Amino acid sequence: MFSTGILVLTSPLQTLPLRIAPVLSSAAQLVDRTLYVHLHPGLNLGSAVQPRPVFIPPVVELSTLITRLYSNAADVCGHLDVRVLLTNIRACGGSTTPNTPFPTPHHLFHSPEVVLTDFAPQDSLQPHEVTQYLEKYTCCCYACKPNIPLVLLQPQLLKQQEKEDCLMNEEKKAKPLETYSDVVVGGTFDRLHGAHKTLLSISCLLASRRIVIGVCDRAMLKKKVLKELIEPYSVRVQKLQEFLKDTKPSLQVEIVPLDDPFGVSVVDPQLKCIVVSEETKKGGEAVNKKRLENGLPALVLHEILLLKDIHRNEIEEEKISSSSLRSRLLGTLLRPPKDSSHLPPRPYVIGLTGGSGSGKSSIAKQLEALGAVWIDCDKLGHEVYQLGGDAYHRVLQEFGSEILNKDKTINRRALGKKVFGNQERLKCLTDIVWPEIAKLVMKRISQARDEGKQVCVVDAAVLLEAGWTDLVHEVWVTIIPEEEAVLRITERDGVSTEDALHRLQSQWSDGKQVEHANVVLSTLWEPEVTQKQVLKAWSLLQERIEQKPEGL
């Protein structure tokens, strides 16, 4: 098994569509991280002359092939980072066209460890000659280590021959693809996937000089599903730069933040074409309307197909999308747990937190049903205020007897009014109460250990604010959109929308909490969906616990 490989596709354009899926499936048995795809339809590695790389003219069929390739890759080898290389795809002719696509070997971001091809040797004596030609050809194109392993995948594809012969009989003349000096495209580009790569690759195919990419930022992310799990802007830009440098290094690349639906597309006079999908075509038309208003010519709208996601579940979109990938992260380990060597290994303690209305208590109940000990810090908070306790006397001393009920118990509503909107007074209260709750949490964990329990869940809305992360092995955060949280709070507590919003804004934002999370869950969808997340999270947790023996 190799980490990175180059797949040289040599079959004619008319037969490649049938070969892509089985070839990728075979390649995935040898490469487990990055698979570069070099296209040279019709390359003959079995002739008496060493073949050389040449420019391949951009044709419509090539655009269709690239779409098919990324679609098949998502279906049969979704774990692989597949990248179609386009350095050798260029219209021939003109004084600016160099003699060769590769004056020097192109250094790819990931160094290739193996070269694969679909070329079919004509007889049993030919493979040695073919591999020699293949090595020289590939090393002319890309920087490879000496004596790089070479693999012919053709023997696994013989079943396709009959179908391919039929296609060859229907061979048609390729239709030239119109190209443009400057092309623009926009998107979120979160967790770069096959649909993004198709969009970017077709844009690179169309562009002869410059590609401008608008990347959604800030205001454009507010309505995105699970926006808290979107990669930072800088990370998305870095991945785009890496992909484009591999794909077509000759292009001038400009990546700009997109804080509104139009960005530079409506003000740049040099742009000629905008690449859209079926879904974003109306957005492209809106761009042209704005350009005309600004006295600029309309852009050519080049529309590409959406890629179907055959792995989707009931809450995911039919197309391959970033939101689906983000939803698949729910319940998984997003970042390794911090060092918890100061804690006893058992019970393994989960700190469960989330904003008001996020549904963390319902998740805690499900975890309890699976065998965890549920430590409800809201209930412990009530215990702390009990008559005669240390916290009771200190709170009374700090805030006065007017916070008492007739039976001398603390009226928490009256106490709340004392600290409402006053950060200094609120801190006085939390400095008294939070340490006492922490003591009770440690006591409950100790009791669970004595009872031989394996997992505890500390359900605490203020887990992060109170600094209780040192009490737990992992932090799990539940998130929902603000508008959904407001609806739940107003229905549950009978408060106004304004009060619900104020409550949420006084807490840590979901985004800030997710920065500290090892695992993220969401109760946005039906209870059955949440249950699947919890079961996945619990199953993965058991695996992690098993890897940490009690003696360590």
Side-chain angles (χ1 to χ4, degrees), residues 120-133:
Q122 298 302 309
D123 56 60
S124 59
L125 300 177
Q126 228 185 0
H128 178 67
E129 295 173 5
V130 169
T131 53
Q132 282 186 323
Y133 284 157

Side-chain angles (χ1 to χ4, degrees), residues 491-546:
E491 289 178 7
R492 182 189 67 192
D493 300 342
V495 298
S496 67
T497 298
E498 187 180 348
D499 287 343
L501 273 170
H502 188 275
R503 185 185 302 180
L504 290 170
Q505 289 162 2
S506 68
Q507 302 170 348
W508 279 25
S509 68
D510 282 354
K512 188 175 180 180
Q513 294 196 62
V514 166
E515 290 175 7
H516 298 265
N518 301 110
V519 174
V520 173
L521 302 158
S522 178
T523 61
L524 176 60
W525 300 278
E526 292 77 10
E528 298 78 20
V529 177
T530 303
Q531 187 176 27
K532 286 180 181 179
Q533 291 175 35
V534 174
L535 288 171
K536 177 166 70 172
W538 181 260
S539 176
L540 294 172
L541 172 65
Q542 298 310 306
E543 292 177 12
R544 293 196 292 279
I545 292 175
E546 287 173 10

Side-chain angles (χ1 to χ4, degrees), residues 221-229 323 326 330 354-359 477-490 497 500-501 504-505 507-511 513-514 520-526 530 533:
L221 301 178
K222 285 184 178 178
K223 297 297 181 182
K224 298 289 184 183
V225 176
L226 300 172
K227 65 179 184 295
E228 297 84 3
L229 296 179
S323 59
R326 291 194 294 275
L330 296 172
S356 184
S358 64
V477 173
T478 59
I479 59 173
I480 54 167
E482 185 178 79
E483 55 270 24
E484 176 65 20
V486 168
L487 281 174
R488 293 183 184 183
I489 294 168
T490 53
T497 298
L501 273 170
L504 290 170
Q505 289 162 2
Q507 302 170 348
W508 279 25
S509 68
D510 282 354
Q513 294 196 62
V514 166
V520 173
L521 302 158
S522 178
T523 61
L524 176 60
W525 300 278
E526 292 77 10
T530 303
Q533 291 175 35

Side-chain angles (χ1 to χ4, degrees), residues 83-87 201 204 242-249:
R83 304 182 184 191
V84 181
L85 304 173
L86 302 174
T87 298
S201 296
C204 288
E242 175 194 318
F243 178 82
L244 293 166
K245 187 176 180 182
D246 272 346
T247 303
K248 197 171 181 180

Side-chain angles (χ1 to χ4, degrees), residues 358-536:
S358 64
K360 59 183 176 57
S361 293
S362 66
I363 288 174
K365 288 177 184 176
Q366 293 183 50
L367 291 170
E368 184 181 42
L370 290 168
V373 175
W374 179 14
I375 301 173
D376 187 344
C377 288
D378 192 46
K379 290 182 179 178
L380 296 184
H382 285 281
E383 285 187 34
V384 163
Y385 286 111
Q386 283 182 353
L387 185 67
D390 289 344
Y392 175 89
H393 290 298
R394 291 175 62 196
V395 168
L396 191 61
Q397 183 179 8
E398 185 69 40
F399 294 96
S401 59
E402 58 266 33
I403 63 169
L404 295 179
N405 294 311
K406 290 182 180 179
D407 61 359
K408 302 298 184 182
T409 57
I410 291 176
N411 184 323
R412 293 182 69 179
R413 186 179 294 273
L415 179 58
K417 289 179 180 178
K418 287 270 189 180
V419 299
F420 181 77
N422 188 325
Q423 288 299 315
E424 187 178 341
R425 298 300 284 156
L426 178 61
K427 187 176 186 307
C428 285
L429 178 61
T430 57
D431 284 349
I432 295 169
V433 174
W434 284 354
E436 296 300 318
I437 296 175
K439 289 178 184 177
L440 292 178
V441 168
M442 289 186 282
K443 183 178 179 182
R444 297 291 193 278
I445 293 171
S446 181
Q447 289 173 354
R449 185 179 306 111
D450 293 342
E451 295 167 7
K453 301 296 183 181
Q454 293 296 301
V455 179
C456 285
V457 175
V458 177
D459 174 4
V462 296
L463 181 86
L464 299 172
E465 295 97 316
W468 294 343
T469 53
D470 284 343
L471 304 179
V472 303
H473 295 87
E474 292 182 18
V475 174
W476 291 15
V477 173
T478 59
I479 59 173
I480 54 167
E482 185 178 79
E483 55 270 24
E484 176 65 20
V486 168
L487 281 174
R488 293 183 184 183
I489 294 168
T490 53
E491 289 178 7
R492 182 189 67 192
D493 300 342
V495 298
S496 67
T497 298
E498 187 180 348
D499 287 343
L501 273 170
H502 188 275
R503 185 185 302 180
L504 290 170
Q505 289 162 2
S506 68
Q507 302 170 348
W508 279 25
S509 68
D510 282 354
K512 188 175 180 180
Q513 294 196 62
V514 166
E515 290 175 7
H516 298 265
N518 301 110
V519 174
V520 173
L521 302 158
S522 178
T523 61
L524 176 60
W525 300 278
E526 292 77 10
E528 298 78 20
V529 177
T530 303
Q531 187 176 27
K532 286 180 181 179
Q533 291 175 35
V534 174
L535 288 171
K536 177 166 70 172

